[in-house]
Amino acid sequence: QSFKLLGFLDVKSVPCARESVLYGSLGSLVVGLGHFLATSRVRRSCDFAVGGFICTMLGYWFYCRYNLAQHRIRQRMLKEGVRNKILFEGSSLDPERKQTGNERSDS
């Protein structure tokens, strides 16, 4: 079963969605409760709690998506490096291969 937030955001399959909602709800609780303890105004504290949820959720969403994009870029570079290592290993194009005097004079 999948859980759809607001009817369109599939929390189970979208990367970072679950964590963003969880951190957003925690931020909502902290901000709302903190404002209530400071001011004892219920309605205003609920407004702050909603704002805290939105800010925390979006903040963590962008942070998580940025880290995910960096991870995918590093993964793609590593995969390409391994592919090149396998392709060029032992050939004259291998950068790790030490050239001898005979090979230098041929090129």
Side-chain angles (χ1 to χ4, degrees):
Q1 283 186 350
S2 66
F3 174 69
K4 293 194 182 225
L5 185 67
L6 300 175
F8 65 91
L9 180 62
D10 190 7
V11 175
K12 189 174 182 180
S13 65
V14 176
C16 300
R18 179 180 178 268
E19 292 86 4
S20 296
V21 170
L22 290 174
Y23 280 118
S25 60
L26 181 64
S28 168
L29 180 72
V30 168
V31 170
L33 189 61
H35 190 269
F36 176 74
L37 291 174
T39 62
S40 298
R41 296 173 63 189
V42 176
R43 183 179 170 103
R44 186 81 169 158
S45 297
C46 289
D47 294 341
F48 269 79
V50 170
F53 174 78
I54 292 170
C55 290
T56 308
M57 186 180 77
L58 288 177
Y60 188 77
W61 172 269
F62 288 121
Y63 170 76
C64 183
R65 294 298 285 200
Y66 177 75
N67 284 341
L68 184 65
Q70 278 187 332
H71 178 71
R72 286 181 178 169
I73 289 170
R74 276 186 257 126
Q75 200 172 28
R76 187 171 45 236
M77 288 173 54
L78 185 63
K79 187 177 180 182
E80 185 177 328
V82 168
R83 186 181 323 123
N84 288 341
K85 173 77 173 167
I86 292 170
L87 184 64
F88 295 126
E89 189 174 28
S91 71
S92 62
L93 298 174
D94 188 5
E96 293 181 6
R97 185 175 175 199
K98 297 195 187 263
Q99 294 182 345
T100 62
N102 293 338
E103 291 176 355
R104 285 189 194 146
S105 62
D106 291 340
S107 50

